[in-house]
Amino acid sequence: MADFRTLELITAGGPTTIVIGARALEAFTGLLDQADLGSPAAVVSNDTVGPLHGRGVAEAVGARSYFELPDGEAFKRWPQVETICAEWLAHGVHRNDVVLAVGGGVVTDTVGFAASIYLRGLPWVAAPTSLLAMVDASVGGKTGVNLEQGKNLVGTFWQPRLVVADTSCLETLPERELRAGLAEVVKAAWIGDQDLLELLPTAADDPPNWDEIVHRSVQVKARIVKDDEREAGPRQALNLGHTLGHALEAVTGYERFLHGEAVVWGLRFVLGISRRRGLLSDDSASRLEGSLRRLEPLPSIRDLDSGAVMQAMLRDKKADARGIAWVLPTDDGVLLGQRVLEAEIRTEFEAMRGGPPQVE
Ligand SMILES: NC(=O)c1ccc[n+]([C@@H]2O[C@H](COP(=O)([O-])OP(=O)(O)OC[C@H]3O[C@@H](n4cnc5c(N)ncnc54)[C@H](O)[C@@H]3O)[C@@H](O)[C@H]2O)c1
Ligand SMILES: [Zn+2]
């Protein structure tokens, strides 16, 4: 077990142990012991990840209940929460039991939410299996589901007691999902550990050091979340690249872009704004741009109307009466709460539209 990297995240919601490493799920029982947790009474995965990783873990820990959600963001909704709670009740899961989520961010968000309200809340463990879930969704204790009106509109802060990120699960993750997850790695690196960019995979035959990449990305997020569990201040930094990213996802009905792909466009966009404003040196700008280039090709934005994108940004739940508070990259991090004029937004969007290779 000495090979695993471990972090302790302490927030108002309690302590979370985060363990990162290849084959960490094979050592799961020992990790539960170390964290002073009993075996999970219930395991929830989805019908893609379950056969690959979830069922094996459920068997190894001898869970009383094992359940698979249908795969997809479309199923991150109320009915699944109710189904999970009913399943747990049927198997006698009680208040002191531990439950485990094995999957990407959709599974960890939904199961974490169910855990936070089932019998008024019980302890949970996350085993994130996508890169995005390892570096982002499973760290920080935000849980929730989507409503018809928008994403993540219902939810809680409910910290997992233990997070086990088994980086060997990434071997089965589709390449496109992997690249989308790297968008969040680039974001974290820019906010708090720019040398991490040197670790990004360069060529297909160059096996990345996932343990180090995940560990350092999680360190950045954990540092921010520790100081600001409920997103009053510094946590806004994590929104870097997300203002435009969320709008692109919304105007295309959440069908064209993976979240990370929209975030790459969003990062490119704020890079452009910062450069025009003289907030980024040429060296920094080309460093950030070079990292984003590795995440291409991206689904196209050529046909999108900048007016519609503007409207979608103003509807974002993070916009307030004063408009949108932008997070802009600087040479050594980010500036929070920046106002950007509509004319500036249009100019940058038009410039970017003709930009890098795009898949039509
Ligand atoms: N709670 C938070 O703080 C937070 C932060 C960021 C994102 N999120 C949420 O996370 C979700 C996105 O997460 P995601 O990108 O992991 O999406 P996802 O859970 O839909 O996973 C992406 C796809 O990869 C599959 N998959 C996952 N791991 C796999 C593996 N090891 N092998 C093969 N296939 C695998 C999934 O079944 C799915 O088809 C969104 O709902 C988003 O709102 C939450
Ligand atoms: Zn994101």
Side-chain angles (χ1 to χ4, degrees):
M1 251 177 262
D3 287 350
F4 302 141
R5 289 148 210 251
T6 306
L7 275 98
E8 288 294 329
L9 170 62
I10 298 178
T11 63
T16 302
T17 304
I18 303 174
V19 180
I20 298 154
R23 320 247 160 260
L25 282 178
E26 287 169 18
F28 196 59
T29 323
L31 296 172
L32 286 164
D33 277 350
Q34 279 181 357
D36 226 3
L37 292 169
S39 259
V43 178
V44 182
S45 188
N46 74 18
D47 54 16
T48 302
V49 179
L52 297 167
H53 310 289
R55 289 177 197 173
V57 179
E59 263 167 46
V61 299
R64 292 204 292 285
S65 151
Y66 174 71
F67 181 72
E68 289 176 1
L69 295 164
D71 187 8
E73 183 77 37
F75 299 102
K76 193 175 136 177
R77 298 293 296 265
W78 273 114
Q80 280 64 41
V81 177
E82 192 167 337
T83 308
I84 292 168
C85 292
E87 162 78 18
W88 290 348
L89 267 181
H91 288 86
V93 175
H94 55 80
R95 195 167 285 144
N96 300 322
D97 279 329
V98 177
V99 296
L100 167 67
V102 184
V106 167
V107 171
T108 54
D109 275 16
T110 311
V111 176
F113 182 49
S116 74
I117 56 175
Y118 178 78
L119 303 179
R120 300 206 169 77
L122 81 184
W124 73 293
V125 175
T129 59
S130 70
L131 180 58
L132 185 131
M134 290 181 193
V135 302
D136 198 354
S138 67
V139 184
K142 278 196 202 175
T143 78
V145 294
N146 304 328
L147 294 183
E148 188 65 43
Q149 291 86 341
K151 282 191 58 174
N152 302 321
L153 290 175
V154 180
T156 54
F157 286 93
W158 194 245
Q159 299 289 343
R161 296 279 293 275
L162 173 69
V163 177
V164 178
D166 180 341
T167 49
S168 46
C169 292
L170 299 175
E171 286 163 20
T172 60
L173 189 69
E175 168 72 27
R176 190 177 165 201
E177 294 286 350
L178 204 57
R179 267 192 286 128
L182 282 169
E184 302 288 358
V185 172
V186 171
K187 177 195 82 174
W190 202 266
I191 295 170
D193 181 1
Q194 293 187 2
D195 290 341
L196 166 58
L197 296 174
E198 311 307 328
L199 295 178
L200 293 186
T202 41
D205 58 353
D206 169 23
N209 186 346
W210 288 122
D211 292 12
E212 181 81 4
I213 292 172
V214 172
H215 183 228
R216 284 172 57 180
S217 305
V218 169
Q219 265 177 332
V220 172
K221 182 160 183 191
R223 235 176 15 237
I224 293 173
V225 166
K226 175 167 67 66
D227 297 330
D228 185 16
E229 190 188 14
R230 286 178 181 258
E231 204 162 355
R235 196 161 173 167
Q236 289 166 20
L238 298 168
N239 215 30
L240 180 67
H242 282 60
T243 308
L244 180 77
H246 284 149
L248 293 178
E249 291 182 273
V251 298
T252 52
Y254 296 91
E255 283 182 350
R256 183 179 304 184
F257 304 97
L258 294 180
H259 171 71
E261 294 170 333
V263 170
V264 176
W265 279 119
L267 288 169
R268 205 177 263 297
F269 185 77
V270 287
L271 161 68
I273 302 255
S274 282
R275 186 153 41 188
R276 278 178 215 272
R277 290 188 174 193
L279 291 172
L280 271 178
S281 65
D282 288 346
D283 275 0
S284 291
S286 50
R287 191 176 195 196
L288 181 50
E289 188 160 2
S291 310
L292 296 174
R293 287 230 99 113
R294 293 190 200 164
L295 309 184
E296 291 168 0
L298 298 170
S300 175
I301 58 164
R302 284 211 180 94
D303 59 327
L304 302 182
D305 170 51
S306 61
V309 172
M310 278 290 306
Q311 284 311 311
M313 288 195 288
L314 289 167
R315 276 196 303 272
D316 196 281
K317 68 173 185 249
K318 284 180 181 134
D320 60 23
R322 295 176 56 219
I324 302 158
W326 289 82
V327 183
L328 296 179
T330 63
D331 282 350
D332 54 6
V334 290
L335 283 177
L336 305 181
Q338 302 301 297
R339 304 289 153 177
V340 179
L341 297 174
E342 193 171 331
E344 231 177 328
I345 294 175
R346 283 187 199 277
T347 308
E348 190 53 47
F349 191 75
E350 294 309 327
M352 195 170 73
R353 215 211 287 264
Q358 304 174 27
V359 182
E360 299 294 342

